[in-house]
Amino acid sequence: MSAPQAVDPRGPRFAAIVTTVVLVVVLATGWWPLLAAQTVVFAIGAFVGLKPAPYSVLYRLVVAPRLQPTEEREDAAPLRFAQAVGFAFALVGTIGYASGVTALGIVATALALFAAFLNGAFGFCLGCEMYLLLKRLSPRAGSAS
Amino acid sequence: MTGVIVAGVTLVAAVVVGLVVRARNGRIRPSGGSSSDGAAPGGAADSALDGLPTEVRDAVTGEAAEVTLVQLSTTFCAPCRHTRALLTHVAERTDGLRHVDLDVTDKPDIARDLGVLRTPTTIAYARSGAELLRVSGVPKREELLAALEPRLPDAESAAQRSE
């Protein structure tokens, strides 16, 4: 077993709150370049790592110094998976808005907002806990049933 | 304008779902009787065991424990780790109680057969294979023990019986 990467759980919570605000602004304005930027943010968190993810950097530089340090640590794997789910929705949303299929952009962004808000407000990681359901629904998961 | 309305509706829906999830977290749902939850075990003890996925049946019959807590987890689930730590601790200190953590990340079939949508879900089985209760999210230790108590060998009453 490789030693799991561990993070301060308040960092992802902060990132989810920032994400929520960004996605509300995207929905309100329909300004898709902002959604494209959020898609890149998700991609960094999911595929590069949580440390270089922009909101994590912001958390460490601005927020963490103002908080009590905590011993609490959370494993990074679920968080990166959640970023990947967010990335998928944001990517679809960006494509929708940019290609003029605004309804697709709105729906995909709303789904990402739903998950981000649940994470920020309730600390509930939808993508992580519903992983089995996602897997069951995804067409690739046809493992001999 | 549509976007603003969608954002508002989405946030309201998320608040509702968040409150429901929070209320359900760790709450014990007794099984059987009304057999509400997905794959309900049959009445007879034999058919209850037969109806279980192989991995679960092996877990329940593996050791002679009165009650086996089968926890379904995935790699991507942070509360699963907390649940595992809690249940391992509880099982170590409780006679007749056993805890098995099943990683079903690559076995969604098991979760489907058991009607489990969310991890962690913990299902308590009697030795007969009968399902006793379910808990989604991190269980609350005291409530879980209280719910299982009638099924567990009680040290005091056992002592009285032997007199």
XYZ file of all heavy atoms in Angstrom, chain A residues 1 3-4 7 17 25 36 43 48 58 64 73 84 92 96-97 112-113 119-120 122 135 140:
167
model
N 0.835 -1.208 0.000
C 0.000 0.000 0.000
C 0.865 1.252 0.000
O 1.742 1.427 0.834
C -0.900 0.021 1.239
C -2.170 -0.795 1.047
S -3.116 -0.909 2.575
C -3.677 0.778 2.786
N 1.648 5.107 0.694
C 1.158 6.033 1.709
C 0.236 7.050 1.056
O 0.638 7.730 0.107
C 2.338 6.741 2.367
N -1.011 7.123 1.518
C -1.935 8.044 0.883
C -1.566 9.489 1.183
O -1.121 9.816 2.287
C -3.281 7.678 1.515
C -2.946 7.004 2.793
C -1.585 6.413 2.644
N -4.497 15.706 3.215
C -4.649 17.157 3.141
C -5.522 17.649 4.297
O -6.304 16.909 4.872
C -5.303 17.585 1.808
C -4.400 17.252 0.648
C -6.650 16.920 1.630
N -16.518 26.093 -1.864
C -17.280 27.335 -1.711
C -16.937 28.310 -2.836
O -17.836 28.916 -3.441
C -16.996 27.958 -0.318
C -17.577 27.053 0.778
C -17.583 29.365 -0.228
C -17.116 27.393 2.175
N -22.066 32.589 -10.718
C -21.787 33.721 -11.618
C -21.901 33.265 -13.078
O -22.474 33.971 -13.917
C -20.390 34.320 -11.336
C -20.025 35.357 -12.382
C -20.359 34.927 -9.941
N -14.872 27.988 -18.563
C -13.686 27.342 -19.133
C -12.530 27.402 -18.125
O -11.804 26.418 -17.934
C -13.293 28.017 -20.444
N -9.440 20.465 -13.693
C -8.501 19.553 -14.343
C -7.193 19.481 -13.566
O -6.624 18.395 -13.388
C -8.247 19.999 -15.783
N -3.433 16.742 -11.980
C -2.078 17.130 -11.589
C -1.885 16.882 -10.100
O -0.951 16.206 -9.684
C -1.804 18.615 -11.922
C -0.374 18.968 -11.542
C -2.061 18.891 -13.403
N -4.671 29.311 -3.001
C -5.316 30.467 -2.378
C -5.601 30.186 -0.903
O -5.369 31.026 -0.023
C -6.635 30.748 -3.119
C -7.331 32.084 -2.841
C -6.460 33.238 -3.280
C -8.677 32.131 -3.561
N -5.609 29.682 5.348
C -5.020 28.828 6.385
C -4.266 29.609 7.467
O -4.382 29.293 8.654
C -4.118 27.770 5.747
N -6.729 15.222 9.065
C -6.255 15.043 7.698
C -7.239 14.158 6.944
O -7.856 13.278 7.504
C -4.871 14.391 7.687
C -3.756 15.352 8.073
C -3.591 16.452 7.039
N -2.549 17.393 7.403
C -2.760 18.495 8.111
N -3.961 18.762 8.565
N -1.777 19.314 8.387
N -12.449 15.371 -10.619
C -12.609 14.784 -11.953
C -14.081 14.806 -12.381
O -14.395 15.079 -13.547
C -12.069 13.353 -11.979
N -18.391 19.700 -20.297
C -19.623 19.600 -21.097
C -20.333 20.957 -21.126
O -20.808 21.411 -22.170
C -20.555 18.510 -20.520
C -21.925 18.558 -21.196
C -19.931 17.134 -20.691
N -21.136 23.301 -24.286
C -22.519 23.701 -24.545
C -22.649 25.198 -24.777
O -23.174 25.643 -25.811
N -22.131 25.969 -23.833
C -22.222 27.430 -23.957
C -21.507 27.921 -25.210
O -22.038 28.711 -25.989
C -21.584 28.115 -22.743
C -22.500 28.262 -21.546
C -22.202 27.627 -20.350
C -23.635 29.077 -21.598
C -23.015 27.772 -19.238
C -24.449 29.230 -20.483
C -24.132 28.572 -19.307
O -24.938 28.727 -18.220
N -23.007 20.680 -11.780
C -21.732 20.924 -11.097
C -21.954 21.812 -9.877
O -21.365 21.592 -8.811
C -20.738 21.576 -12.065
N -22.832 22.806 -10.016
C -23.145 23.702 -8.896
C -23.778 22.923 -7.747
O -23.436 23.127 -6.574
C -24.092 24.810 -9.373
C -24.704 25.695 -8.286
C -23.627 26.450 -7.525
C -25.703 26.682 -8.888
N -20.970 20.036 -1.246
C -19.651 19.855 -0.654
C -19.284 21.047 0.231
O -18.854 20.887 1.372
C -18.623 19.692 -1.784
C -17.349 19.043 -1.297
O -17.109 18.967 -0.101
N -16.547 18.584 -2.224
N -19.510 22.263 -0.281
C -19.128 23.454 0.466
C -19.986 23.664 1.700
O -19.488 23.977 2.782
N -22.346 21.433 3.159
C -22.635 20.296 4.036
C -21.436 19.363 4.223
O -21.517 18.407 4.986
C -23.813 19.483 3.487
C -25.120 20.218 3.519
C -25.563 20.939 2.420
C -25.912 20.198 4.658
C -26.766 21.627 2.453
C -27.119 20.880 4.699
C -27.546 21.590 3.595
N -20.865 4.680 -11.495
C -20.235 3.590 -12.230
C -21.294 2.703 -12.890
O -21.124 2.232 -14.001
C -19.382 2.773 -11.262
C -18.581 1.714 -11.955
C -17.427 1.261 -11.097
C -16.581 0.282 -11.879
N -15.399 -0.132 -11.151
N -19.362 2.457 -19.736
C -18.110 1.703 -19.781
C -18.074 0.588 -18.744
O -17.341 -0.369 -18.887
C -16.923 2.643 -19.536
C -16.594 3.532 -20.707
C -15.551 4.539 -20.267
N -16.004 5.289 -19.097
C -15.198 5.912 -18.263
N -13.923 5.853 -18.429
N -15.694 6.586 -17.254
